[in-house]
Amino acid sequence: MKSLDEPEDKVTEELDGKAKLRKWLNMNFRIEMTDGRILIGVFLCTDRDANIILGACSEYSKNSDGEPEEPRVLGLVMVPGRHIVSIQIDDTAPPQKYYYED
Amino acid sequence: MDSLGTSPEVTYNWVDITTDFFSHIQDLQLGELLHDGHLFGLFEAMSAIEMMDPKMDAGMLCNRGNPKPLNFQQALACGKLKVDDLEPGEIIGVIDATMACIVSWLEGHSLAQTVLTNIYLHQPHLIGNKTLKAYCIAVYKLLDCIRDCINKAQVFEEEDFLPMCYGYRLGSNPQSGSNYDASLEVTEQKCIAMLKEQEEDLNKKAKSIDDEANNAWAGVAARIRFTRMFYQALFLITKRDSQSGVDCVALLNGCSETMKVIIKTAEKGTQPEENSDAPNPMGFEPMINQRLLPPTFPRYTKIKPRSEALLYFDELVTRLRLAWKITSCTNFHVALDFFMEFSRQRACILSRSALQLLYLSPSPASMASQTVHSSTSVQARPHHLFIEILRESVKSFVNPAMPTAKSGSVGSIQVREYVDNFLARCVRPFAVLLQVCGHNRARQRDKLGLLLDELAALQEEANNVDEVVSSANGTATRACFNTWILYHVLRVMIAYLLSGLELELYSVHEYHYIFWYLYEFLYGWLVSALARAEALSAEPTRKTEKRGGARKLKKRARPNMRESLICQVMQNMCGGYYKALVAFKLQGKIRQPMSQFDNEAVRYKHRFAPLAVISPPQVHYHEFCEMTQPLQYENPVLLYVAGYKHFQQARNLLETITTPDQEVQDLLKVAKTNFIVLKLLADGHKKDSTLPPDFDFSAHRHFPIIKIA
């Protein structure tokens, strides 16, 4: 956690932000959306508005009684930045590749 | 922090990065994507489902259905579903809503989101009310029959029809797997008997009760009657079972009659609640099958309004009655014209499929590949039937002089074999041609393009057959089979080019070479092919017949006359457009693309690419340029004059037709209007205006009315 927000001078930090985002590519993300649903998938792409694309994504939701429902496999999804409540990253596994390299 | 609902073998250790993430993305430029360059790009990004978009995101609260959908037992337990003592209005409501669902299904929606949202259909055998039970079972049989019909005909694409059943077993018994109970299986006869019994009961009820309620019971009776007759008719069409002794035409006529009563009594039924997705207040759960659908599936199906659905059924029955007429078409050319005309009316998928099955079932298009190898199989029957149809077609079109079987010489047997082989090879392309006519209009174009190769490949063989036949007869080569194939190739080529106009694929600046090609070549060739066919068929095959031949000539000349005349009309129309378009171009009325961005040669090549067959030869772009060069220096006025003369000629020809059909009347209207417009232009009207002319296709799908702004 600490390593994620080291203070640095302004010019390098600009590059640093991108570099750090890049390091997270192909890692598992857990995104909570504004309607309470949780998405877990591989982080593939983002832009300045925090629109995030997750690959091999599954949706975890709760029914009206608060009991978790069976997860739904969604595949490739795009989560608009304005609907993101929180983002978590899985630091157990080494980054896995979503696609095979050629 | 623990993971939520993950499978046991996967463990996560989640670390929150929300604030970091949102600060890091500030370093990205507007519109810049951060991604693994060679693994993931914009292209992949395009196919992602957008979360929180009500159209794409199935899990959204608004899409989840609130409250939770109730299944049959739950709805029954909480009293939301009546299975006994239904009022006639309630039955009408359920039936009409189900019919609306069937129509929505036939328009390309999924079964799970339409008909199968009717929860009565989930447990038809548990319904106490006998009328509704019989109806629900019949609906299952009907769905099965519809699907069978469409699947057999093979003229649907994904946009026309979804055959998926989502685990429901169609055909009387929805239960499958461990719930399956063979004793609940209902045969076709039993289903019809059940419906008939209900019909009688309901008619009695309708008679016993006085006026006000009387209407409603009569309405229910009409619906049951319609369902029975419609099912029987469709079953007959699909199974082609002539033993049953029922008359399909009578059934369909009965359907039309009954539909009048149904439409009249539609308001007697319970109506859908306002702002509700359910097509009827009782018995429908729009979200009940949501879990069965793939995640990216469109969430929401708007069920067709009842009045429109009933009208759809009414028209469907009319179309089926029309399709039945194909059974009396013996001549292949007449049948082909019938198929094309039927398609022109933009018939629905079920009637298009029925037409296919009524003509040839199973289609030799799908059979041909198997039967070529095992011609002895029992299934080869329609294949042989089709060969005979084609043989008859050749005979009536060009009348090839076949050596008679009586002569019995070795040579004549060989010739017969040769011809038979050729016709056997024709089966697939020609069956496919009929099948193509069954597809939706937008899909026909590509399929015609592909078919051209196959048809054109037959031309060389046709030449050989002609030579063999002629040498056996000891005459000079008569190009009979060749003419017959050429005629069909040309028709397909013309249909291909014209469909581009109907589908609005061409830009206005392309029109001139499309119409040029049609005018200068295809229609011209077609006219001469028809003339040649007429000459060939009129030729007396034996010298002794000379006298009778003269009388025969008169009779024989008839069938192609109207077609030949229409071809000349079309040729003149195309000529008129072509000349007008060149004049427009010369006067700067048509905006031309910059050639370095949009090259005419490239477009030309692309437009006519499927026409690149051996014979008739394709006319290439450089030839087009050479041939049309002189017109570049022509006076536009003279071109307009030449153009209106073409339209005048087309009009004169059309007016000789004694029994004009809708098509002829439409063409006449277009020819008349364009004649006047071009005449005005020739007189110098709006000479200096560079405003582009408008091409209005509302009067005819291929031939526009030219309008000057």
Side-chain angles (χ1 to χ4, degrees):
Chain A
M1 275 300 275
K2 238 188 231 166
S3 68
L4 298 175
D5 43 34
E6 280 168 346
E8 279 184 49
D9 74 55
K10 221 182 167 203
V11 184
T12 48
E13 192 175 6
E14 229 175 29
L15 298 166
D16 214 38
K18 273 204 241 179
K20 279 184 175 145
L21 285 171
R22 202 169 286 284
K23 249 192 250 168
W24 289 335
L25 282 174
N26 300 318
M27 290 178 72
N28 276 320
F29 267 35
R30 179 182 186 276
I31 296 179
E32 187 184 346
M33 291 200 296
T34 41
D35 68 348
R37 278 180 294 159
I38 310 288
L39 299 171
I40 294 177
V42 182
F43 174 50
L44 293 176
C45 180
T46 190
D47 65 4
R48 202 170 74 161
D49 301 317
N51 298 314
I52 296 177
I53 295 182
L54 297 181
C57 182
S58 295
E59 173 201 275
Y60 300 82
S61 52
K62 290 178 181 170
N63 63 17
S64 45
D65 306 327
E67 294 158 17
E69 280 180 17
E70 226 179 296
R72 281 196 326 138
V73 178
L74 298 182
L76 193 63
V77 304
M78 195 278 278
V79 196
R82 62 180 187 285
H83 290 300
I84 294 175
V85 175
S86 74
I87 306 170
Q88 291 170 310
I89 192 165
D90 175 31
D91 75 350
T92 51
Q96 57 180 90
K97 289 280 185 216
Y98 182 46
Y99 293 122
Y100 293 107
E101 250 175 297
D102 36 35
Chain B
M1 162 114 206
D2 206 353
S3 57
L4 184 138
T6 49
S7 41
E9 64 266 25
V10 188
T11 50
Y12 294 112
N13 184 23
W14 296 116
V15 181
D16 191 272
I17 52 163
T18 315
T19 33
D20 292 325
F21 192 92
F22 278 91
S23 72
H24 292 335
I25 55 165
Q26 302 298 319
D27 294 350
L28 291 166
Q29 302 292 314
L30 181 67
E32 182 184 0
L33 290 184
L34 182 115
H35 58 95
D36 208 339
H38 52 291
L39 294 180
F40 187 85
L42 194 59
F43 182 73
E44 285 80 8
M46 292 301 292
S47 61
I49 311 171
E50 188 172 332
M51 300 308 287
M52 300 303 282
D53 176 317
K55 282 212 183 77
M56 287 197 245
D57 184 359
M60 256 177 93
L61 217 55
C62 69
N63 286 330
R64 321 189 90 210
N66 223 1
K68 206 169 176 280
L70 300 172
N71 64 27
F72 184 87
Q73 273 83 5
Q74 291 164 334
L76 196 61
C78 70
K80 284 197 170 172
L81 201 66
K82 276 162 93 174
V83 291
D84 288 299
D85 307 321
L86 277 91
E87 296 296 321
E90 289 172 326
I91 300 177
I92 291 179
V94 172
I95 292 179
D96 284 5
T98 308
M99 286 175 98
C101 288
I102 294 175
V103 170
S104 304
W105 178 49
L106 286 175
E107 289 195 325
H109 292 289
S110 85
L111 206 51
Q113 288 181 315
T114 56
V115 192
L116 295 176
T117 62
N118 178 346
I119 52 177
Y120 281 115
L121 288 176
H122 295 197
Q123 296 290 347
H125 293 280
L126 299 184
I127 303 170
N129 182 297
K130 279 189 175 166
T131 307
L132 198 56
K133 179 178 173 181
Y135 178 74
C136 286
I137 288 170
V139 166
Y140 262 105
K141 302 292 280 184
L142 182 62
L143 294 183
D144 194 30
C145 191
I146 290 174
R147 196 180 53 140
D148 196 27
C149 175
I150 296 175
N151 266 337
K152 264 191 190 164
Q154 284 296 314
V155 290
F156 69 97
E157 298 282 346
E158 55 179 358
E159 68 270 23
D160 297 311
F161 179 70
L162 289 175
M164 282 269 292
C165 288
Y166 305 95
Y168 288 91
R169 286 181 69 257
L170 299 187
S172 83
N173 188 358
Q175 312 310 330
S176 60
S178 53
N179 293 330
Y180 178 73
D181 180 354
S183 67
L184 296 180
E185 217 49 74
V186 178
T187 63
E188 181 233 346
Q189 286 87 356
K190 184 160 176 224
C191 172
I192 288 166
M194 281 167 86
L195 288 170
K196 270 190 179 154
E197 194 189 312
Q198 288 309 308
E199 245 176 271
E200 282 164 23
D201 277 6
L202 289 165
N203 280 330
K204 269 181 218 154
K205 264 188 202 165
K207 275 176 197 146
S208 67
I209 307 167
D210 48 299
D211 234 30
E212 187 56 36
N214 183 11
N215 264 338
W217 282 118
V220 180
R223 280 159 178 76
I224 297 297
R225 187 173 156 77
F226 178 86
T227 308
R228 191 220 355 129
M229 291 192 292
F230 186 75
Y231 170 56
Q232 275 184 298
L234 197 64
F235 189 80
L236 211 71
I237 290 169
T238 308
K239 296 280 189 290
R240 296 297 272 133
D241 168 25
S242 47
Q243 274 95 353
S244 59
V246 257
D247 180 0
C248 192
V249 179
L251 286 169
L252 289 171
N253 287 341
C255 283
S256 287
E257 283 303 311
T258 320
M259 188 41 92
K260 287 180 196 151
V261 184
I262 296 180
I263 291 173
K264 232 184 270 167
T265 50
E267 81 270 16
K268 296 276 169 200
T270 51
Q271 299 299 314
E273 283 157 14
E274 228 164 285
N275 300 325
S276 161
D277 297 336
N280 192 50
M282 186 169 71
F284 288 80
E285 285 285 0
M287 305 304 273
I288 190 86
N289 294 312
Q290 220 57 5
R291 287 223 152 249
L292 301 174
L293 298 167
T296 50
F297 208 79
R299 283 309 103 181
Y300 185 69
T301 293
K302 193 107 186 91
I303 301 294
K304 194 114 173 150
R306 281 186 199 179
S307 53
E308 285 173 39
L310 292 178
L311 217 59
Y312 183 103
F313 260 106
D314 195 31
E315 287 164 0
L316 171 61
V317 171
T318 312
R319 284 192 292 264
L320 289 176
R321 274 161 56 192
L322 177 63
W324 184 265
K325 296 212 165 86
I326 193 74
T327 52
S328 53
C329 277
T330 43
N331 184 301
F332 177 72
H333 290 199
V334 177
L336 183 60
D337 286 338
F338 188 96
F339 270 76
M340 287 179 166
E341 178 59 33
F342 198 82
S343 163
R344 217 173 282 151
Q345 296 164 5
R346 304 194 172 230
C348 65
I349 179 63
L350 184 57
S351 53
R352 282 191 271 131
S353 303
L355 178 64
Q356 296 282 328
L357 297 187
L358 282 172
Y359 190 60
L360 280 172
S361 172
S363 168
S366 49
M367 303 278 304
S369 49
Q370 310 160 17
T371 44
V372 163
H373 303 299
S374 59
S375 53
T376 47
S377 80
V378 194
Q379 288 197 313
R381 209 180 57 83
H383 182 80
H384 284 310
L385 194 70
F386 199 55
I387 287 186
E388 289 317 311
I389 290 173
L390 291 180
R391 195 195 305 280
E392 203 46 51
S393 155
V394 180
K395 206 173 148 196
S396 66
F397 189 61
V398 286
N399 190 26
M402 292 297 294
T404 45
K406 265 183 253 162
S407 62
S409 67
V410 183
S412 79
I413 290 167
Q414 269 176 347
V415 170
R416 290 195 150 267
E417 242 169 52
Y418 211 87
V419 172
D420 282 348
N421 279 339
F422 171 71
L423 289 174
R425 227 160 295 178
C426 288
V427 164
R428 208 193 99 85
F430 282 94
V432 170
L433 179 58
L434 291 178
Q435 213 171 35
V436 169
C437 296
H439 276 276
N440 71 51
R441 301 289 285 172
R443 292 279 188 168
Q444 287 185 11
R445 186 177 157 85
D446 276 349
K447 294 179 193 292
L448 286 174
L450 291 174
L451 184 62
L452 264 180
D453 277 342
E454 265 187 82
L455 273 178
L458 288 170
Q459 281 190 306
E460 208 176 327
E461 284 187 54
N463 284 341
N464 294 339
V465 174
D466 280 330
E467 268 170 38
V468 169
V469 171
S470 302
S471 71
N473 286 332
T475 56
T477 306
R478 295 167 77 231
C480 293
F481 289 92
N482 179 292
T483 306
W484 181 67
I485 290 280
L486 179 70
Y487 164 78
H488 285 289
V489 169
L490 287 171
R491 278 191 68 168
V492 172
M493 282 182 168
I494 289 169
Y496 177 82
L497 285 187
L498 288 180
S499 76
L501 290 164
E502 183 178 351
L503 301 172
E504 297 174 49
L505 301 178
Y506 309 131
S507 303
V508 174
H509 62 81
E510 290 179 285
Y511 284 174
H512 70 284
Y513 48 77
I514 302 289
F515 283 117
W516 173 78
Y517 209 107
L518 287 164
Y519 156 67
E520 200 79 66
F521 302 103
L522 298 183
Y523 277 121
W525 288 336
L526 190 57
V527 168
S528 63
L530 282 168
R532 190 149 54 124
E534 232 156 70
L536 283 168
S537 65
E539 241 173 63
T541 46
R542 228 156 301 231
K543 286 198 174 86
T544 45
E545 270 184 2
K546 243 191 175 154
R547 261 211 182 155
R551 212 181 304 141
K552 226 173 161 186
L553 187 136
K554 260 191 189 164
K555 231 194 263 168
R556 279 197 162 275
R558 288 276 146 201
N560 295 341
M561 213 183 75
R562 185 184 164 117
E563 188 173 4
S564 173
L565 189 124
I566 293 282
C567 281
Q568 286 170 44
V569 169
M570 303 289 201
Q571 190 182 18
N572 273 300
M573 302 274 280
C574 292
Y577 287 115
Y578 165 59
K579 285 175 186 165
L581 282 155
V582 174
F584 288 144
K585 211 174 145 187
L586 290 176
Q587 289 188 334
K589 285 185 200 284
I590 291 178
R591 274 192 66 171
Q592 298 293 321
M594 299 272 282
S595 77
Q596 75 238 56
F597 301 124
D598 190 342
N599 187 284
E600 194 177 71
V602 174
R603 271 183 182 266
Y604 182 98
K605 204 174 155 195
H606 177 75
R607 289 304 182 206
F608 298 110
L611 273 52
V613 293
I614 309 157
S615 169
Q618 193 193 1
V619 184
H620 293 284
Y621 183 69
H622 63 89
E623 294 169 280
F624 163 70
C625 291
E626 280 163 26
M627 290 179 74
T628 56
Q629 187 73 10
L631 285 191
Q632 304 302 318
Y633 308 104
E634 193 66 81
N635 181 353
V637 172
L638 293 178
L639 286 168
Y640 287 132
V641 171
Y644 81 61
K645 281 188 178 154
H646 275 303
F647 283 114
Q648 193 177 24
Q649 177 68 12
R651 180 186 153 176
N652 291 342
L653 287 168
L654 283 168
E655 278 168 349
T656 62
I657 295 175
T658 42
T659 49
D661 55 9
Q662 191 56 46
E663 175 80 1
V664 169
Q665 283 169 14
D666 291 345
L667 285 171
L668 200 56
K669 185 183 168 195
V670 174
K672 275 183 185 167
T673 319
N674 284 344
F675 166 72
I676 295 164
V677 172
L678 291 193
K679 197 150 198 215
L680 281 173
L681 285 164
D683 292 342
H685 175 70
K686 301 262 174 129
K687 200 172 97 189
D688 303 316
S689 156
T690 54
L691 280 173
D694 191 29
F695 294 90
D696 177 8
F697 286 89
S698 59
H700 191 277
R701 66 204 174 280
H702 298 142
F703 298 109
I705 287 176
I706 302 172
K707 288 186 173 164
I708 299 300

